[in-house]
Amino acid sequence: LGDALGYCHMKGNRADCGGLKIGPGGHTMQTTIDSLALEVCDLIYLDIEGGEYNALNGALNTIARLHPVIVCEAKGLDPKFRDGARAGSPRFREWVESLGYVFHARYGADEVFLPA
C-alpha cells in the first residue's frame, strides 16, 4: 500500500520480511486504499514498517467518506515523522488527529484512533 498507484521496489534483509523497505521504481505493484473504491470500511489496520503515512495518504478519500477506525503500528520508523522516539511519534499522532480523529489507546506498539 502507498500514496500512489504504480510500481515500487522492496529492499532489505530477505531473512526478515517484516523489515523490508519500500522505494520508488521496481517491479512490485503498489496500490492505494482509495483505488479499491470500498463501499464499506470499518477498520484500517497498518503494520508496514514506516509506510503508514504513505498508506493513509493513499486512503484520504476513503477515510473522509467512511470514517473507519485507524490502527497503526507506531515505532517512529516513518522518515517523515521520525523524531527520535522509538515508541511512537507525536507528530504522526497529530497528523492522524488532523484528519478528524482522536487518539484512543495504545496497545503494545499499536495506536488506535477513532473518528471524532
Side-chain angles (χ1 to χ4, degrees):
L1 292 173
D3 59 358
L5 298 174
Y7 290 89
C8 62
H9 75 272
M10 297 168 54
K11 65 179 181 176
N13 180 350
R14 288 185 167 272
D16 177 14
C17 64
L20 294 175
K21 301 295 180 204
I22 306 299
H27 303 289
T28 302
M29 183 176 280
Q30 177 176 288
T31 192
T32 67
I33 292 173
D34 283 344
S35 71
L36 301 174
L38 301 171
E39 293 182 25
V40 176
C41 180
D42 296 323
L43 173 68
I44 296 176
Y45 198 121
L46 301 171
D47 177 354
I48 51 178
E49 304 304 315
E52 289 79 8
Y53 169 77
N54 285 340
L56 289 176
N57 224 17
L60 292 178
N61 292 328
T62 302
I63 291 167
R65 202 167 37 85
L66 301 173
H67 313 288
V69 171
I70 297 174
V71 182
C72 291
E73 181 183 50
K75 290 185 176 177
L77 298 177
D78 192 310
K80 179 171 178 55
F81 295 102
R82 190 170 293 137
D83 53 15
R86 179 75 177 142
S89 168
R91 289 178 30 219
F92 179 77
R93 186 181 290 181
E94 290 170 8
W95 180 75
V96 175
E97 290 172 342
S98 78
L99 301 177
Y101 281 75
V102 294
F103 172 76
H104 174 69
R106 184 176 177 93
Y107 299 99
D110 296 335
E111 292 191 347
V112 180
F113 298 89
L114 302 177

